[in-house]
Amino acid sequence: MPSGRSRTRVLIVDDSASVRQTLKAILEEDPELEVIGTAADPFAAARIIQSQVPDVITLDVEMPRMDGITFLRKLMSQCPVPVVMCSSLTEQGSETLLQALEAGAVDVILKPRIGVADHLAEARDAIREVVKGAARARVSARRPAPPRIRPEQKLTADAVLPPPSGKAMSRTTEMVVCIGASTGGTEALREVLEALPANSPGIVVVQHMPERFTRAFANRLNSICEVSVKEAEEGDTVMRGHVLIAPGGKHTLLERQGARYLVSVRDGPLVSRHRPSVDVLFRSAARCAGSNAVGVIMTGMGDDGARGLLEMKEAGARTFAQDEATSVVFGMPKEAIARGAADRVLPLGSIAGEVLRATAR
């Protein structure tokens, strides 16, 4: 948000009048957000942008006259603005949204399901947080960050499982890596995972994304990485050369059976306003893996994962945080660093190598 402006200015672009109206109402419930206009297609949006450039744009994928991906690419080449893609919950839409993230969109939200009260009650906070996080994102040059607010009380990982006992964990023959990311994380994770060889240690990832999108994200990574990547399912074994992506809408925990690790995928309340939550994954690693684990916290808004990374460090794990210069949003890593949770602060390009060194026997 430019300095001197009290609210983040948002432009809503969607061909559905009901979606535009609902999104506008949700965003304007927050005193830090101001909807400066709505547009039914990219051409109408371009006219608004000519008169006042918004801080954030929410952009539909399928629209008349010009689709959202084409408009996004034009926008990022001519007038870079943080863009949040807004889509319905479809497998085909998930693939398109991944293309949008690769083209420069900073995050994704689901279209609010009008008339579904339970969905709206939970989704409205997430939508506003994503939009405010996008305002902090760097798309071409650093943007001054708006004042940080402290919203309503957040649940911690205590809501899902108790804190680590503090007992030393015996080492096994294998290490496990836990990674957490949010805004900007899809492309950052791609860079890290692409750099890993096929015999890398087993990895579990929490990337804040809506349900179904995580499966498409995992499939895309699997097609370009040497390691095998899939969306995590209940009871999956964490093993060398494999990466498990936590499914959207579910918490994913690390568990230990003898000398092997597996994941538990379960329901539960939002933790740090997220499900899946990085804090939940990291706490589970601290409890069952201890010094057999490596924790990595990457780009993203908020503080999800900061407390959990400290718990991992206190349990003997090696811990890393992405640095400010390479983070799209330096929120989650900054909070972890401030708590003393990171052994080292690393640029994005160094994370894969440090993970391999930390897990070498």
Side-chain angles (χ1 to χ4, degrees), residues 162-224:
S165 64
K167 294 174 63 177
M169 301 297 298
S170 61
R171 282 189 174 271
T172 69
T173 57
E174 290 293 339
M175 300 283 286
V176 61
V177 180
C178 295
I179 303 176
S182 187
T183 311
T186 53
E187 287 301 287
L189 282 166
R190 177 193 58 76
E191 182 170 333
V192 170
L193 297 182
E194 272 193 303
L196 294 174
N199 66 342
S200 298
I203 298 173
V204 185
V205 174
V206 166
Q207 162 69 48
H208 294 156
M209 294 181 81
E211 54 184 305
R212 293 200 189 176
F213 298 151
T214 45
R215 176 165 295 180
F217 178 51
N219 291 341
R220 175 68 63 88
L221 290 173
N222 188 58
S223 70
I224 61 177

Side-chain angles (χ1 to χ4, degrees), residues 47-242:
R47 290 193 293 271
I48 295 173
I49 294 171
Q50 286 176 353
S51 61
Q52 51 181 339
V53 178
D55 299 309
V56 180
I57 296 174
T58 67
L59 180 61
D60 189 15
V61 177
E62 299 294 335
M63 290 179 292
R65 300 206 286 171
M66 182 186 293
D67 66 271
I69 304 297
T70 300
F71 177 62
L72 173 66
R73 290 181 175 136
K74 290 179 179 292
L75 184 71
M76 298 308 290
S77 66
Q78 299 173 15
C79 179
V81 173
V83 172
V84 174
M85 301 305 295
C86 185
S87 174
S88 55
L89 192 61
T90 65
E91 295 292 348
Q92 182 178 359
S94 299
E95 293 292 340
T96 305
L97 283 167
L98 290 177
Q99 296 175 25
L101 291 167
E102 291 173 354
V106 298
D107 219 327
V108 174
I109 57 175
L110 290 179
K111 285 189 176 182
R113 297 200 290 270
I114 295 111
V116 184
D118 290 343
H119 170 79
L120 278 178
E122 188 171 280
R124 60 166 51 94
D125 288 339
I127 289 171
R128 291 192 292 259
E129 288 300 308
V130 166
V131 169
K132 288 191 284 188
R136 294 167 165 83
R138 293 176 298 190
V139 291
S140 61
R142 182 182 297 274
R143 290 172 169 266
R148 178 163 183 159
I149 65 165
R150 291 290 179 185
E152 66 279 1
Q153 183 178 4
K154 298 181 296 185
L155 292 178
T156 69
D158 291 340
V160 178
L161 73 169
S165 64
K167 294 174 63 177
M169 301 297 298
S170 61
R171 282 189 174 271
T172 69
T173 57
E174 290 293 339
M175 300 283 286
V176 61
V177 180
C178 295
I179 303 176
S182 187
T183 311
T186 53
E187 287 301 287
L189 282 166
R190 177 193 58 76
E191 182 170 333
V192 170
L193 297 182
E194 272 193 303
L196 294 174
N199 66 342
S200 298
I203 298 173
V204 185
V205 174
V206 166
Q207 162 69 48
H208 294 156
M209 294 181 81
E211 54 184 305
R212 293 200 189 176
F213 298 151
T214 45
R215 176 165 295 180
F217 178 51
N219 291 341
R220 175 68 63 88
L221 290 173
N222 188 58
S223 70
I224 61 177
C225 296
E226 290 188 36
V227 289
S228 175
V229 186
K230 72 180 289 287
E231 185 182 59
E233 298 178 74
E234 175 67 26
D236 277 346
T237 300
V238 182
M239 54 186 173
R240 185 166 288 275
H242 289 71

